[in-house]
Amino acid sequence: MRSTFYIILTTTLLSLSIPFLSGAQSVDDVTPIPVEVIKEGRGHVTIDGKTQIVFDKQYGAQAEFMREMLAAQTGLNLPVYPNTATKPKASHHIRLVFDSKAIDKDEMYTLTVSGKDVTIRAKDTGGMVYGIQTLLQLFPVKQVREVKIPDVQIKDYPRFAYRGMHLDVVRHMFPVEFIKKYIDYLSFHKFNTFHWHLTDDQGWRIEIESYPKLNTVGSWRKETLIGHFKDQPARYDGTRYGGYYTKDEILEVINYASVRGIDIIPEIDIPGHSRATIAAYPELSTRPDTTWDVATTWGMYNRQNNVLQPNPATFQFLETVFQEVADLFPSEYFHLGGDETSKIWWKADPVSQAFIKEHNLKDEKGLQTYFVEQVASYLAAKGKKVIGWHEILEGDLSKSTLIMNWGGEKEGIAAARRGHQVIMSPGKPLYFDHYQSKDPNDSLAIHGYNPLDAVYAFEPVPKALREQKLGHYIIGAQGNLWTEYIGSQAKVQYMIFPRMTALSEVLWSPVEKRNYTDFKSRLKSAIIPRYTFWEASYFPHYEQWTAEK
Ligand code: TNX
């Protein structure tokens, strides 16, 4: 009894007398929750400013990333060495090891804290990045001189191969510095894909050399709607709005993302959502004699003409532009949109009707599929596979096309039964542009209600597919952020946090480890302090608003 008391007293005094000594963050707080955590050892590894980061040659960029992140989080600025270098003697190391034997799954890592070293093993960039992210979560978020990390062995890998977050930079555009932050958020949460929605009715946001009017005309709108698009009368702000990312900026973002284990899938949305394109080049529209403006309002479907006409100039345009963009992005996949293509403008257009007849297409849906297959063939020439929103299934489509389903389970099931790989991105609950509360004073959103617990409870693989042993067609899921009503970086953060954190656990962790009460406790103790460290806003009333049963 007595001795325990003294031990407690001395340790308390000790920690009071050394101001910058800090305890580690508990391994029980790691989010998304890892597959396996073994806490057998009783020791710890002390990390201080003399600890060396030692990397195998595959992981030089990740070693530098680890150094930067740890320095920003704790003030500990560790020296970095390749494992082949002669280096000064050090008592402790953080080792980044390439190991394709012990590591037998894609994106897997092991993290071992034992003896004198912390060791992360992986066989690909993703695995190493996720190991680093887990390790960073074992450090406190404050300035320290040293940290004692308790012995632990973690083995971890993702449940789904595709773990995505989308961002619409058309309705509102965000600076490159913020896009990088967004990528940091993805990497922290062990997502692996950033879906970059680069074109739409309201603007082109990527530099295109072959068709310069896409930027001089298509990247700019005269003004922007104020309030909700259904509000009457419509009001506009009278301010010209726009811009685009240069190719150099895009490359900078691609490189930044690749060090952090994030693949970027660009989206050029056709054959609808093309108002900015036809504003720049009216000859690609169903009314070549018309002058179009870049859209200044939202919700164009069946309300304003925004489709491409099937004519030789259009297909020449699509081939040139898609190939130009494909050359820029290393990703294996390219997203060609295909959503919400209104058929009424094609119905009213004699040229489109003649094209349908001439090519033996069934109807306007067949024409939509024709567009998709044409673009897929231009991209195949560049070695790329295509992804499209689920409406592209309205026609008969080749099986190699990946379907991104923003409908419900029904559409996901139908796509899988037809033999397509599917990414689930249902409006309910994965549209983070929808409301997360029913508070009438909450910040304006488009509509809907996707509270945090609904996101956490989301199951990407529908029961019907599991029963038919077709579950493997669901390769993952994605959270979408359309930005009609999201004009600032703070609002982006407010809409994604903490819903994106919940989704990360759905996508990464084994189902049987998921527990909402435990998740909320980790959110409070470890994740919200991160949002604060990032100086990011978030929605704080998530406990008050729950899914309707
Ligand atoms: C539908 S979902 C769209 C977007 C809008 C969004 C608003 C999809 C593929 N298309 O263009 O921004 O709804 O929630």
Side-chain angles (χ1 to χ4, degrees), residues 1 10 66 68 119 198 207 238 255 269 275 294 323 325 347 381 421 438 452 460 472 478 482 486 531 541:
M1 204 41 197
T10 28
M66 166 90 217
E68 262 173 43
T119 307
L198 288 164
E207 179 183 8
N255 290 334
D269 199 349
R275 179 64 165 238
V294 176
Q323 293 191 344
V325 177
K347 281 202 171 109
Q421 292 195 312
K438 295 207 161 186
L452 183 66
H472 59 279
Q478 176 173 289
W482 303 98
I486 302 179
Y531 302 157
H541 309 299

Side-chain angles (χ1 to χ4, degrees), residues 171 273 339-340 389 406 431 433 446 482 484:
R171 280 57 178 265
H273 284 272
D339 56 315
E340 298 181 321
W389 298 106
W406 67 282
Y431 268 37
D433 62 331
I446 184 162
W482 303 98
E484 287 94 334

